Amino acid sequence: MTNPFFNRDVISIREFSKSDLEYLFKTADQIQTLQPNRRSSLADGRLLGVMFFEPSTRTRLSFEAAMLSIGGQTISIIEPKTSSTEKGENLHDTVKTVESYVDLIVLRHRMEGAARYAAQVAEKPVINGGSGSEEHPTQAMLDIYTILKERGTISDLKIALVGDLKYGRTVYSLLYGLANFNPRVFLVSPPELRLREEALSDLEGKINLSQHTDLEEIVSDLDVIYMTRIQKERFPDLVEYEKVRGTYVIDNQLLSKGREDLMVLHPLPRTTEIKPEVDSTPHAKYFNQTIYGKTVRAALISLILNKEI
Ligand code: CP
């Protein structure tokens, strides 16, 4: 199979097939086995432009760590106030400028459509590092990779996506990605934070979905809980946020009602939705996700930059 990522933008996970994702995961495994000098030749002399107009810890640092691990380097705008955006420069001119210095760009932006717009403007590949509440495709890639590494398969697994299904961009990318792998998905949220209608109709017939409000009622049936943070910053009215704050909390008491091998994932950051007591249980896999994030992103950058590895 030819490399499906070579020189491509990564804006939505919907643009990649099951075999594309499997190609990425196989490459991630393969890169781990390379001799250090071979691994660090994958991006030798190449530069990643990191443009983050929203806060981030994992996505930004794992992209940077991934690029360094394969021999590349990075330059960044991570504090928009110190870039010419503060003087009124538009996204078009900022992207054109950054791409003149780098080989590829990763962009995080609060606006839906910003990553796609940047990809249209730029001749160099653009990776969407999170666009408003729309998508976060590389998070879904690492989420799926995590489940496959921890469980070996996704087919027929019972996976609950819990919390803020309205504004959480990771949820949308994950659902579109999971649709390739035949799991059963339980959508668990307060009525106010249900999955957006357009996604429900997009996914109809592509994935087995059911909607719920009570996590405790279904926990004994689940293989995976994918917990999400209520996205306070995306609520147009904080009164609405206060109504749903703290709706779901995972603690050891809840997990005692689940299967012994129930896996808890979270894209992070968390606030109060997973109690720290869960961290030391075998259920907690959310810090494994952060490790897999670097691995998958290193593979993705390598495939975008190199026709063959
Ligand atoms: N999962 C995720 O996107 O985390 P950050 O916001 O810290 O990048």
Side-chain angles (χ1 to χ4, degrees), residues 94-109:
T94 310
V95 168
K96 291 304 289 176
T97 303
V98 173
E99 79 156 335
S100 71
Y101 305 133
V102 302
D103 298 284
L104 80 166
I105 288 173
V106 56
L107 173 75
R108 170 169 289 192
H109 205 284

Side-chain angles (χ1 to χ4, degrees), residues 4-5 8-25 115-116 126-131 133-148 154 161 168-181 199 202-203 206-207 226 296-297 300:
F5 293 92
R8 269 186 73 183
D9 301 310
V10 178
I11 306 304
S12 168
I13 199 161
R14 282 183 276 190
E15 288 153 10
F16 299 94
S17 66
K18 182 179 186 187
S19 61
D20 294 344
L21 295 174
E22 286 172 341
Y23 191 94
L24 172 68
F25 302 150
R116 190 165 301 285
V126 173
I127 302 172
N128 180 1
S131 49
S133 53
E134 181 184 42
E135 272 220 48
H136 191 349
T138 64
Q139 177 69 44
M141 289 168 180
L142 77 90
D143 294 337
I144 294 170
Y145 184 72
T146 302
I147 302 173
L148 289 171
I154 293 177
L161 274 56
R169 57 191 170 205
T170 66
V171 167
Y172 290 84
S173 293
L174 182 56
L175 278 170
Y176 293 129
L178 284 175
N180 294 295
F181 292 88
D202 261 18
L203 288 161
K206 297 178 187 150
I207 186 165
Y226 186 89
V296 169
R297 287 170 175 138
L300 183 64

Side-chain angles (χ1 to χ4, degrees), residues 59-75:
T59 309
R60 182 171 69 78
L61 292 181
S62 65
F63 264 110
E64 292 191 5
M67 188 62 175
L68 295 174
S69 75
I70 53 174
Q73 293 187 299
T74 70
I75 56 172

